C-alpha cells in the first residue's frame, strides 16, 4: 500500500499544485492507510482502487485551495437556507433529491464538480471540457463492466449527487467504512469533531455556486445522520428533510449496495462482515441523529415516509415546500412530474438478509433499540 508522501507526490504531479492547505486532514489519511494495510484484506485491485480514491480526494483538495486563493470573492457568496436530504440509505433520498433539484430556483452538486471543484461552468460547455469528458468516460465504462450496479444506484458525471465527496477532502467520510473493513478508522472517525470538515464543505459550495449565487442549494447524503450538530453549525438556517423506511426492509439493500460497489476489492469485506458492520454503523448513525435533532428547532426539519413518497411524490414535494414556506408553481411541479415519469433507467436487483448473515429479527432488534 502507498504512503502519504507518495499520495501527495502523485496528486501534485496531476495538478502541478503543492498547497494542500491546513494539516488537519493528515491524521485521517494516516489512520485510514493503516486500516487499509492491517485490516481491510485488500486485493491487488482493491489497493489500486483505494489508492486512486485517496489520490482523487487530495487532487480535489489541491484544486479547492488553488481556486480559493485565485478567487477570494468566493467567501462573500451566500448559502441561504440550503436543503439537506438525509436518512438511512435506500429510503428514497436519491429520488426525492433529484426531484427537488429540478426546480429552476435550486442547484444541486454535480458529481464531476466534486472531483474538480471550480465555479460551475455553463452547462453547454461541459461536453467539451476535458475534465468532464474523462470523468464521464469513467462512469460509462463502469456501466458497461458492471451493469448490475445500475440497479442499485445509477450515476453519471452531470447528475446531482451526494456531497460526501466534499467531506472526503478532509478525510472524514462514511464512504471509507461503507466500502471496506476498516474498524480502526471507523473507531477514529466516530470520535472526531466534524466541524472543520463541514466548514470546508461550505467553502466548496460557495466556490462551485459562484455563477448561481441566487439559487438555493439542495444536497443529499445519508452520512449527515452522523454530524447534524456540525452541519447546523456550518449552515445555521439549513432545512433538513429526514426520510424514513422500516430498517429491516432496507438493510439487505444497503448491504447489497456495499457488496456490489466493492466487488473484488477485498478478501475480508463480504457476506457477514458487510452485514454486521453496516447494521451497526447505520443503527448508530440513526441513533445519533435522533439524539442531536432533539436539540434543534423542530421547524427546520420535515419527515418523509417512504410509502407516502412512493404513493404521491409530488404531493410530498408540495408539502415540503409548504412546511418550509417556499413557493412552488404548477410549472415547476409539471417539470418534476415529467422527470419522475420519464422512465427508470435502473435495473432491478435481488438481495436477501441471509446473504449477509442477518435475520429480520436481528435488524428489528438493533434498530428497535434506537427508538427505545
Amino acid at each position: 500500500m502507498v504512503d502519504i508522501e507518495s499520495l501527495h507526490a502523485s496528486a501534485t504531479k496531476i495538478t502541478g499544485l503543492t498547497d494542500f492547505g491546513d494539516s488537519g486532514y493528515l491524521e485521517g489519511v494516516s489512520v485510514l492507510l493503516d486500516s487499509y494495510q492491517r485490516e481491510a484484506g485488500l486485493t491487488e485491485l482493491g489497493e489500486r482502487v483505494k489508492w486512486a480514491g485517496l489520490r482523487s480526494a487530495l487532487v480535489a483538495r489541491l484544486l479547492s485551495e488553488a481556486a480559493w486563493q485565485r478567487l477570494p470573492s468566493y467567501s462573500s457568496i451566500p448559502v441561504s437556507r440550503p436543503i439537506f436530504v438525509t436518512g438511512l440509505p435506500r429510503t428514497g433520498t436519491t429520488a426525492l433529491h433529484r426531484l427537488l433539484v429540478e426546480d429552476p430556483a435550486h442547484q444541486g452538486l454535480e458529481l464531476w464538480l466534486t472531483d474538480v471543484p471550480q465555479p460551475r461552468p455553463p452547462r453547454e460547455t461541459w461536453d467539451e471540457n476535458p475534465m468532464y469528458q474523462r470523468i464521464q468516460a469513467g462512469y460509462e465504462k463502469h456501466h458497461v463492466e458492471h451493469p448490475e450496479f445500475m440497479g442499485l444506484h445509477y450515476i453519471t458525471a452531470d447528475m446531482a449527487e451526494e456531497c460526501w465527496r466534499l467531506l472526503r477532502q478532509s478525510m472524514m467520510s462514511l464512504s471509507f467504512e461503507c466500502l471496506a473493513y476498516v474498524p480502526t478508522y471507523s473507531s477514529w472517525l466516530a470520535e472526531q469533531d466534524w466541524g472543520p470538515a463541514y466548514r470546508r464543505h461550505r467553502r466548496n459550495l460557495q466556490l462551485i455556486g459562484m455563477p448561481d449565487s441566487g439559487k438555493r442549494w439542495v444536497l443529499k447524503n445519508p452520512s449527515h445522520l452522523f454530524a447534524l450538530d456540525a452541519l447546523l453549525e456550518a449552515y445555521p438556517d439549513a432545512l433538513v428533510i429526514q426520510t424514513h423506511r422500516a430498517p429491516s426492509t432496507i438493510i439487505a439493500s444497503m448491504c447489497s449496495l456495499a457488496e456490489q460497489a466493492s466487488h473484488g476489492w477485498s478478501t475480508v469485506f463480504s457476506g457477514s462482515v458487510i452485514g454486521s458492520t453496516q447494521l451497526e454503523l447505520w443503527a448508530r448513525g440513526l441513533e445519533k441523529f435522533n439524539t442531536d435533532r432533539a436539540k434543534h428547532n423542530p421547524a427546520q426539519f420535515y419527515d418523509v415516509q417512504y410509502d407516502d413518497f412512493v404513493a404521491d411524490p409530488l404531493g410530498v414535494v408540495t408539502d415540503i415546500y409548504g412546511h418550509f414556506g417556499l413557493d412552488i408553481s404548477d410549472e415547476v411541479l409539471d417539470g418534476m412530474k415529467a422527470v419522475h415519469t420519464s422512465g427508470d433507467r435502473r435495473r432491478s436487483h435481488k438481495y436477501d438478509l441471509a446473504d449477509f448473515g442477518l435475520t429480520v429479527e436481528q435488524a428489528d432488534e438493533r434498530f428497535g433499540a434506537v427508538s427505545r
Side-chain angles (χ1 to χ4, degrees), residues 110-113 115-116 123 126-144 150 154-161 345:
E110 293 86 2
L111 189 150
W112 78 286
L113 292 174
D115 283 343
V116 285
R123 179 62 184 87
W126 293 6
D127 290 340
E128 303 303 318
N129 185 301
M131 291 180 289
Y132 173 82
Q133 290 175 349
R134 177 178 57 81
I135 294 169
Q136 176 61 9
Y139 283 105
E140 290 175 355
K141 179 181 179 182
H142 183 269
H143 293 158
V144 172
M150 295 170 67
Y154 186 92
I155 49 178
T156 59
D158 62 344
M159 278 186 168
E161 258 299 323
R345 287 171 290 185

Side-chain angles (χ1 to χ4, degrees), residues 39-42 50 174-183 254-278 281 356:
E39 301 165 334
L42 296 177
K50 298 305 180 185
L174 270 292
S175 65
F176 297 124
E177 57 185 306
C178 287
L179 296 175
Y181 181 63
V182 285
M254 293 157 55
C255 291
S256 179
L257 177 62
E259 180 183 56
Q260 294 286 354
S262 63
H263 180 69
W265 297 354
S266 170
T267 60
V268 174
F269 193 65
S270 62
S272 62
V273 170
I274 292 178
S276 61
T277 57
Q278 299 309 298
L281 174 67
F356 305 99

Side-chain angles (χ1 to χ4, degrees), residues 85 88-102 152-154 159-162 218 220 222 241 243 245 304 306 309-310 313-314 316-317 320 336-337 339-341 344 346:
V85 180
L88 292 174
R90 322 308 292 170
T91 58
T93 54
T94 298
L96 177 57
H97 176 233
R98 289 178 178 170
L99 276 187
L100 293 173
V101 296
E102 285 300 314
L152 290 150
H153 189 71
Y154 186 92
M159 278 186 168
E161 258 299 323
E162 295 180 351
V218 180
K220 170 249 178 175
I241 301 170
T243 55
R245 191 180 182 188
V304 172
Y306 177 82
F309 179 67
V310 170
L314 298 185
V316 167
V317 168
I320 290 170
M336 291 180 178
K337 181 178 181 180
V339 169
H340 185 69
T341 59
D344 192 351
R346 300 178 301 166

Side-chain angles (χ1 to χ4, degrees), residues 308-331:
D308 293 341
F309 179 67
V310 170
D312 186 10
L314 298 185
V316 167
V317 168
T318 301
D319 289 345
I320 290 170
Y321 276 67
H323 176 78
F324 291 133
L326 308 177
D327 295 326
I328 188 167
S329 67
D330 290 340
E331 183 179 6

Side-chain angles (χ1 to χ4, degrees), residues 90 152 247-259 274 349-356 358 363:
R90 322 308 292 170
L152 290 150
S248 60
T249 301
I250 63 169
I251 186 65
S253 182
M254 293 157 55
C255 291
S256 179
L257 177 62
E259 180 183 56
I274 292 178
H349 72 295
K350 297 179 180 180
Y351 44 82
D352 190 290
L353 278 171
D355 295 336
F356 305 99
L358 298 174

